[in-house]
Amino acid sequence: MNKIKSLADLKKLQTEVQSKIKLREMGDHSETLIQIKVSMATCGIASGAKETMSHFIEELDHQGIDVIVTQTGCMGYCYAEPTIELTIPGQQPVVYGFVNKAKAQEIIEKHVKLNEMVDGIIPVNYSSIDN
Amino acid sequence: MADYNMHILVCGGTGCKASQSELIKSNFKTRLNEFGLSDEIQVIMTGCFGFCEKGPIVKILPDNTFYTQVTPEDVFEIVEEHVIKGRKVERLLYKDPESKEHIVDTKGMDFYKKQIRIALRNCGFINPENIEEYIGRDGYAALGTCLSEITPDEVIRMIKDSGLRGRGGGGFPTGLKWELTRKSVSDQKYVVCNADEGDPGAFMDRSILEGDPHSVLEAMAICGYCIGADKGLVYIRAEYPLAIERLKIAINQAREYGLLGNDILGTGFSFDVEIRYGAGAFVCGEETALIHSMEGKRGEPTVKPPFPAEKGYNGKPTNVNNVETFANIPVIINKGAEWFASIGTANSKGTKVFALAGKINNVGLIEVPMGITLREIIYDIGGGIKDGREFKAVQTGGPSGGCLTKSFLDTPIDYDNLVAAGSMMGSGGMIVLDDSDCMVAIAKFYLEFTLDESCGKCTPCRIGNKRLYEILEKITEGNGKVEDLNRLRMLSSVIKDTSLCGLGQTSPNPVLSTLDHFYDEYLSHVTSHKCIAGQCKALMHYSIDVDKCTGCTLCFRNCPVGAISGEKRASHYIDQSLCIKCGVCFAKCKFDAVLIA
């Protein structure tokens, strides 16, 4: 490691390393952030959920948008894998099916950035016991 | 992939380490490796989360899951269920003691709801052994700003405006101390960090050094810049090996990054830090004794003035601040004095870290705004008294402080109110007592501590405390007289008035404060020879209920001194002259026939 020579250098290093702990800071105020859960059961992974998840993480990071991306278990829509659930704070969660890289990109551009829903939504067909 | 998509934080504080958190961490690493997830999931050992009661703690992010009392074996289930399938392991989640529901998120835990973490901001959040994580959290930004953009006088002005007072116990205004040391003219000055935390039950300084050592180093450098010192010394007790190890790593990393050493950030300012070890003497927390100990002399206090600000280490002007005080400095510079001064009460600004211990449900480390009430700390954050018993008192300020009774539950806590209530802030140990604690025995316990720790220089402290202790011993053994209570008071005031340093001047405080608040309890010890709390063994009387005794001979066979006699299947009898009040008969009896009075 080279020595930090000035305040400007320190600030530069700070921005560089911030991304490493950003995930932890996001966890601190998770209730205000958009959350994307990627269904990562066997069926999801076999259909490419890992690639979808990586794409979300990389693209959102690249664009500098704070979104919590986590994995979750099978949502039951095995025919439509990879599936994701997107929650905007204060709104009902929305589930998308067949989310490949291109679809993920579309979701980021439209739903995450503009709050406009895109095609491919799986309608809610169950009620959950906790709400 | 450059960044990890999940972080697993494992508590690496001394408490959790003692419960195998090191093995938990390595189990996580091995397991994740087996699943080929090492590149996607980061495992980090952090400092203390504060919730020591339920340690070891594992926190998973970004979904903010808080697992308690994790064992190394639980790791497999966490990896397979939570990490791979995304299902939380319910049985390890924190359970709300009232609603009995599992709480997923730390934000839902009462323990954290009322806390404001300034000094502990990075504890349980960053890896203390990685300077880059500290830098990512605005680390060293305050030092950089000070060196490049603010004059020392302005920095001191800021600290003064913030209202920060010494967190070691005395509560001396930090900005003023810095100003005094700045004004002293000398070719060499020193910045000393007092990490000689000695109060029984207090461990905030250790936790800060273990969890966020860089915040202290950064603040020491800022202090050096303000007072004109290029050398810093951390005086730490050798019985804090983990804090020492992390501090050493931090110092080396800071040097490597050019944040300590010569010409820091190209500003021409040089500052370096060294560690000095103490042998764990309580009196060495007193600044003059501390300085003597660092000089290699006996750890004995000397008369002030001269204050260390004029003549300290090696006779040079020295600024001594406590660990927690330093940890607040970078935040004040980054967020501004006004922000800091907006938290707290009129004369006590900011927050205070308290170590909760004793008969309380959530034992641990908390940081709360000044002005919070004792009730909020004990019942909301601390989760109330253990086993549903009744609250009796809180001992604050360690052996120099006093106890606060029920009537103070709603008093806002700050430096001045605590002194007015007959106690003191001290370094922040809070020992909660319930109705089974005898106040005479508590006073005796603290006195035993000061007796041990007195350096012996002043007669009143060395001999006076011994005499105080003997009187208390007499009372707890049932041989006390009413006159003894007055004698306790008189002797206490003499010791307070005639001792040189803080140790002697405050050592009778626990006695005086318990005498004030619990005079009845003392009185019942000396007049009716009864200990209401049932703690003073010598005052207890064991007897056998003739009607209940079945003559099973269990007590007879277990009594270690042969004080019990009686025939088989006939009632037994305890010979009081032989009984040593060990309580074995009471514990062994299956028919509740042994009575305690």
Side-chain angles (χ1 to χ4, degrees):
Chain A
M1 172 70 201
N2 287 328
K3 290 201 170 174
I4 307 169
K5 294 272 194 276
S6 66
L7 181 56
D9 282 358
L10 176 71
K11 290 202 165 144
K12 212 175 106 197
L13 176 65
Q14 191 185 343
T15 2
E16 273 171 36
V17 293
Q18 240 155 15
S19 65
K20 290 189 185 161
I21 52 166
K22 197 161 123 196
L23 188 104
R24 274 175 250 168
E25 282 177 346
M26 288 199 295
D28 258 6
H29 47 102
S30 53
E31 68 283 353
T32 60
L33 294 173
I34 299 179
Q35 283 204 31
I36 295 177
K37 286 183 183 164
V38 184
S39 183
M40 289 270 248
T42 311
C43 46
I45 295 171
S47 319
K50 266 199 164 158
E51 287 75 22
T52 305
M53 184 163 172
S54 311
H55 184 75
F56 270 116
I57 292 170
E58 277 163 27
E59 187 58 29
L60 289 165
D61 189 52
H62 180 65
Q63 297 202 26
I65 308 169
D66 286 350
V67 173
I68 296 179
V69 185
T70 54
Q71 51 186 337
T72 183
C74 178
M75 296 191 210
Y77 308 110
C78 306
Y79 67 95
E81 294 296 347
T83 49
I84 67 143
E85 182 189 272
L86 188 149
T87 316
I88 292 178
Q91 296 181 20
Q92 284 296 313
V94 174
V95 177
Y96 285 103
F98 302 108
V99 185
N100 54 22
K101 268 192 184 181
K103 194 80 202 168
Q105 192 63 29
E106 194 187 347
I107 291 171
I108 293 174
E109 295 303 330
K110 293 266 174 64
H111 200 152
V112 173
K113 286 163 88 172
L114 307 169
N115 198 3
E116 280 172 21
M117 294 184 194
V118 296
D119 283 347
I121 293 177
I122 302 176
V124 179
N125 56 5
Y126 60 90
S127 59
S128 145
I129 51 163
D130 47 39
N131 45 30
Chain B
M1 198 161 57
D3 289 330
Y4 298 97
N5 59 37
M6 187 184 269
H7 293 194
I8 299 177
L9 310 183
V10 183
C11 179
T14 298
C16 287
K17 268 204 158 177
S19 316
Q20 294 185 299
S21 72
E22 195 80 56
L23 186 60
I24 293 176
K25 182 191 155 196
S26 64
N27 274 4
F28 265 120
K29 289 213 157 162
T30 343
R31 203 65 186 153
L32 291 172
N33 207 11
E34 282 167 21
F35 282 104
L37 292 168
S38 311
D39 294 337
E40 291 172 37
I41 294 163
Q42 190 185 18
V43 185
I44 307 124
M45 191 147 240
T46 67
C48 180
F49 282 89
F51 203 53
C52 311
E53 175 74 20
K54 296 277 181 205
I57 304 293
V58 170
K59 191 172 175 181
I60 298 187
L61 289 159
D63 51 12
N64 229 3
T65 310
F66 196 81
Y67 288 127
T68 54
Q69 291 178 318
V70 179
T71 65
E73 293 74 40
D74 291 333
V75 168
F76 302 103
E77 193 176 341
I78 296 179
V79 170
E80 271 150 53
E81 284 295 306
H82 188 138
V83 176
I84 297 185
K85 297 178 191 154
R87 291 197 292 238
K88 298 189 178 184
V89 183
E90 290 254 332
R91 69 181 173 89
L92 295 173
L93 292 173
Y94 174 68
K95 215 180 191 179
D96 189 281
E98 272 173 29
S99 65
K100 304 278 175 229
E101 273 172 26
H102 291 293
I103 295 178
V104 172
D105 199 312
T106 48
K107 285 188 288 279
M109 289 167 65
D110 287 333
F111 184 73
Y112 287 107
K113 269 184 200 164
K114 290 202 168 167
Q115 295 200 41
I116 300 182
R117 290 164 89 89
I118 299 175
L120 299 178
R121 62 195 180 279
N122 290 327
C123 287
F125 194 91
I126 62 166
N127 176 354
E129 298 180 7
N130 183 349
I131 190 172
E132 293 201 350
E133 294 204 353
Y134 180 68
I135 291 174
R137 291 274 282 176
D138 284 338
Y140 291 102
L143 175 64
T145 318
C146 286
L147 296 183
S148 320
E149 292 160 10
I150 321 179
T151 66
D153 286 319
E154 282 173 64
V155 179
I156 292 178
R157 175 94 265 168
M158 275 177 91
I159 305 295
K160 280 175 107 177
D161 288 346
S162 75
L164 177 67
R165 293 169 67 174
R167 297 291 192 247
F172 191 81
T174 307
L176 186 62
K177 207 179 216 182
W178 288 22
E179 192 177 57
L180 291 173
T181 324
R182 175 168 173 76
K183 280 184 184 154
S184 298
V185 186
S186 175
D187 54 332
Q188 172 76 56
K189 293 181 189 177
Y190 296 99
V191 176
V192 171
C193 172
N194 182 351
D196 188 72
E197 187 174 43
D199 282 8
F203 56 99
M204 55 286 297
D205 293 348
R206 191 195 70 205
S207 288
I208 292 172
L209 288 171
E210 285 174 3
D212 193 17
H214 286 287
S215 67
V216 176
L217 296 179
E218 182 182 4
M220 287 178 76
I222 294 172
C223 180
Y225 170 68
C226 290
I227 66 166
D230 62 359
K231 188 137 196 189
L233 300 157
V234 181
Y235 183 81
I236 185 167
R237 39 182 53 210
E239 61 237 58
Y240 279 180
L242 185 63
I244 291 171
E245 187 193 318
R246 299 230 168 111
L247 196 58
K248 274 186 185 163
I249 295 172
I251 293 173
N252 286 334
Q253 285 183 349
R255 283 181 189 149
E256 220 175 281
Y257 279 68
L259 295 164
L260 283 179
N262 290 326
D263 191 17
I264 296 171
L265 299 177
T267 57
F269 172 71
S270 303
F271 190 81
D272 208 354
V273 175
E274 280 178 26
I275 304 179
R276 291 282 183 278
Y277 305 107
F282 183 61
V283 73
C284 289
E286 200 280 337
E287 48 186 14
T288 58
L290 181 150
I291 288 167
H292 293 143
S293 167
M294 286 201 308
E295 288 166 342
K297 297 178 190 148
R298 255 179 187 231
E300 284 181 345
T302 42
V303 185
K304 291 194 274 190
F307 288 94
E310 303 149 16
K311 265 186 157 186
Y313 184 59
N314 290 338
K316 306 289 182 188
T318 305
N319 184 90
V320 186
N321 281 133
N322 153 274
V323 172
E324 191 190 332
T325 316
F326 275 129
N328 279 295
I329 301 283
V331 192
I332 294 175
I333 309 282
N334 286 332
K335 294 201 168 187
E338 259 175 50
W339 169 81
F340 191 82
S342 69
I343 306 165
T345 61
N347 290 317
S348 305
K349 301 298 186 190
T351 57
K352 178 77 192 85
V353 183
F354 288 105
L356 286 181
K359 309 284 177 61
I360 191 159
N361 278 321
N362 298 339
V363 166
L365 204 60
I366 59 164
E367 183 169 356
V368 288
M370 295 276 191
I372 194 170
T373 64
L374 211 49
R375 190 184 297 280
E376 288 174 280
I377 293 184
I378 293 171
Y379 290 97
D380 297 345
I381 299 172
I385 310 296
K386 264 207 173 117
D387 303 326
R389 295 193 75 107
E390 202 178 326
F391 168 80
K392 187 170 196 178
V394 171
Q395 164 77 26
T396 67
S400 311
C403 56
L404 302 170
T405 56
K406 259 185 212 158
S407 54
F408 296 104
L409 272 177
D410 293 305
T411 312
I413 293 178
D414 65 12
Y415 289 101
D416 311 311
N417 281 347
L418 283 181
V419 172
S423 184
M424 64 183 271
M425 184 71 84
S427 59
M430 267 197 183
I431 298 178
V432 180
L433 309 169
D434 70 10
D435 51 3
S436 68
D437 288 306
C438 168
M439 298 316 283
V440 186
I442 294 289
K444 198 177 93 180
F445 165 78
Y446 280 106
L447 213 61
E448 192 178 354
F449 179 83
T450 26
L451 204 59
D452 249 6
E453 295 292 347
S454 168
C455 72
K457 183 170 178 164
C458 312
T459 318
C461 175
R462 185 184 66 243
I463 300 175
N465 278 327
K466 177 77 183 162
R467 294 290 98 86
L468 270 185
Y469 180 79
E470 284 166 0
I471 298 176
L472 289 176
E473 207 170 32
K474 215 170 108 187
I475 295 175
T476 54
E477 282 171 359
N479 304 319
K481 299 202 171 59
V482 184
E483 306 90 85
D484 287 330
L485 303 186
N486 292 330
R487 203 168 291 146
L488 278 178
R489 267 191 206 281
M490 217 171 63
L491 189 50
S492 293
S493 68
V494 173
I495 297 171
K496 275 175 84 99
D497 290 345
T498 51
S499 295
L500 174 63
C501 81
L503 194 152
Q505 285 164 11
T506 58
S507 60
N509 281 358
V511 179
L512 288 174
S513 145
T514 47
L515 263 176
D516 282 344
H517 297 305
F518 296 96
Y519 189 74
D520 287 351
E521 219 173 307
Y522 275 90
L523 212 55
S524 78
H525 276 80
V526 293
T527 53
S528 51
H529 301 285
K530 266 190 186 152
C531 174
I532 307 164
Q535 210 188 355
C536 295
K537 279 196 173 159
L539 297 184
M540 302 221 267
H541 180 88
Y542 288 85
S543 60
I544 293 174
D545 187 333
V546 207
D547 298 333
K548 282 189 181 168
C549 181
T550 61
C552 72
T553 73
L554 201 57
C555 56
F556 165 75
R557 278 179 282 141
N558 280 288
C559 178
V561 290
I564 302 177
S565 52
E567 293 296 314
K568 252 187 198 172
R569 282 186 284 281
S571 180
H572 280 54
Y573 165 77
I574 301 178
D575 184 345
Q576 298 300 332
S577 61
L578 293 174
C579 176
I580 55 163
K581 286 136 186 171
C582 64
V584 166
C585 50
F586 176 77
K588 289 283 174 188
C589 183
K590 287 176 179 161
F591 308 98
D592 296 330
V594 177
L595 307 171
I596 308 175

